[in-house]
Amino acid sequence: MTVADWLAALDRRAELRARAGLTRTLRPRAAGDAVVDLAGNDYLGLATHPEVTAAAARALSTYGLGATGSRLVRGSTDAHHALEDALADWLGTDRALVFSSGYLANLAAVRGLVRPRTLLVSDAHNHASLIDGCRISGAETVVTPHADVDAVAAALAAAPGRPAVVVTESVFSVDGDLAPLAALHAVARRHGALLLVDDAHALGVTGPTGAGGVVAAGLAGEPDVVVTATLSKALGGAGGVVAGPAEFTRHLVETGRTFIFDTALPPAVAAGVLAAVGLARAGDGLRAELAERAALAVRRLNGAGLDVSTPDAAVVSVTAPGPEAATAWAAACRERGVAVGCFRPPSTPDSRSRLRLTISAGVARPDFVRALDVIVESAPVSVRSEPGLRAPQSRTKEGS
């Protein structure tokens, strides 16, 4: 194949994606734009909090722009270690290890838990980073139906004597439903398996002091549980964390390729996130506001005849008739000053397209109410009457 043939093939694939309504476009965002943001993940509004930005600015002037190397070379600063100590204390684990992104943290965690003959049992709605972690690990992976504890138990029972890891999110990133963590842990422990939980959309939002889904389920510090999270959502920064037994974090320091060979998180970001952790732990009022707004969104959108997921945290999904309709709907909202997430295959775990709303306490309440009106008024005509669009209601709460 010539270079011209290769480029032509890429053009044909782009054309096919466009016909299917799956084109993706980068749009620059100006600082301080006036858009009402229901698309970003800054749940608690901490990304621009004065204490967070001041802490980052102090570290920036002290350490400079970057970490200058990997954690094992010159990139492991006092700011990184202070953040790790704070995260471990918050999550109730022995140790925490900070990565430059949540994606890399998940790749490291999955790979680090794999031994010879390990079986990975992965939820069908897991995030792409967990899916890629399973693939890169080379371990046999069984994908079970979403939040199906019986299916997980069956997969483990079919592999007696083998090391196994149950892999799940706590709050799933597309529909915002909560995994049955306590039940999954009980099944995993019964079969001698480990439990890996990605707490990305729960950390800062759910649980006592916002410590996340694992703490809320009473599993903090359990020796057979490993927690991962991103620091870019409720904490408003960047980076990722793996938390669990000290023996496991030591294993990642010594063997984790996405830790060893990656330039460290900038110290200024680590310092800003550390300030955000303190604010998040004291943010019960912000969490109450998030819950109230999520309930308001469901009432308003359901009342308008839209199909809405039942939120267990601060993610609300609204089903669209298809990818092209979802794209047009999101664009219509954007034209009226409201940013919403537009999720289409392959970003969704099924064939449905959605608008995804991420509730933020940092948005002024009148603006939030107006944004809900814009979403309703911009909806495609068919979205309120077309059969078969009902989003699955959450059935994954503990004990249900």
Side-chain angles (χ1 to χ4, degrees), residues 208-233:
T209 70
V214 172
V215 173
L219 303 178
E222 291 292 341
D224 51 358
V225 176
V226 172
V227 185
T228 67
T230 177
L231 310 176
S232 63
K233 301 190 187 320

Side-chain angles (χ1 to χ4, degrees), residues 62-296:
T62 302
Y63 289 104
L65 181 60
T68 76
S70 69
R71 291 289 304 275
L72 289 171
V73 179
R74 288 281 292 169
S76 200
T77 68
D78 292 343
H80 294 88
H81 288 268
L83 176 57
E84 288 170 342
D85 289 344
L87 288 169
D89 182 68
W90 193 21
L91 296 170
T93 60
D94 288 348
R95 291 285 305 276
L97 191 65
V98 166
F99 290 70
S100 64
S101 76
Y103 210 108
L104 294 182
N106 273 344
L107 295 185
V110 176
R111 181 65 186 87
L113 290 169
V114 167
R115 293 175 285 159
R117 301 181 62 246
T118 292
L119 176 70
L120 299 174
V121 181
S122 178
D123 189 285
H125 283 204
N126 276 343
H127 188 265
S129 56
L130 292 173
I131 295 170
D132 285 352
C134 292
R135 291 172 176 170
I136 291 170
S137 75
E140 179 185 354
T141 303
V142 174
V143 178
T144 53
H146 179 50
D148 190 332
V149 177
D150 290 340
V152 171
L156 294 173
R162 290 179 60 181
V165 183
V166 177
V167 183
T168 185
E169 296 182 58
S170 55
V171 172
F172 288 90
S173 57
V174 175
D175 285 326
D177 55 317
L178 181 67
L181 294 180
L184 288 171
H185 180 252
V187 165
R189 178 165 286 184
R190 188 163 65 244
H191 291 276
L194 303 174
L195 177 64
L196 172 62
V197 181
D198 181 352
D199 236 353
H201 287 274
L203 186 64
V205 178
T206 66
T209 70
V214 172
V215 173
L219 303 178
E222 291 292 341
D224 51 358
V225 176
V226 172
V227 185
T228 67
T230 177
L231 310 176
S232 63
K233 301 190 187 320
L235 297 177
V241 61
V242 179
E247 296 86 349
F248 183 61
T249 56
R250 179 185 63 198
H251 177 69
L252 294 184
V253 169
E254 296 177 353
T255 69
R257 294 174 67 83
T258 60
F259 180 83
I260 295 170
F261 297 105
D262 185 49
T263 297
L265 187 73
V269 176
V273 172
L274 176 59
V277 169
L279 292 166
R281 295 185 73 163
D284 287 346
L286 294 174
R287 281 180 284 278
E289 178 68 16
L290 284 181
E292 189 175 317
R293 291 189 186 193
L296 173 61

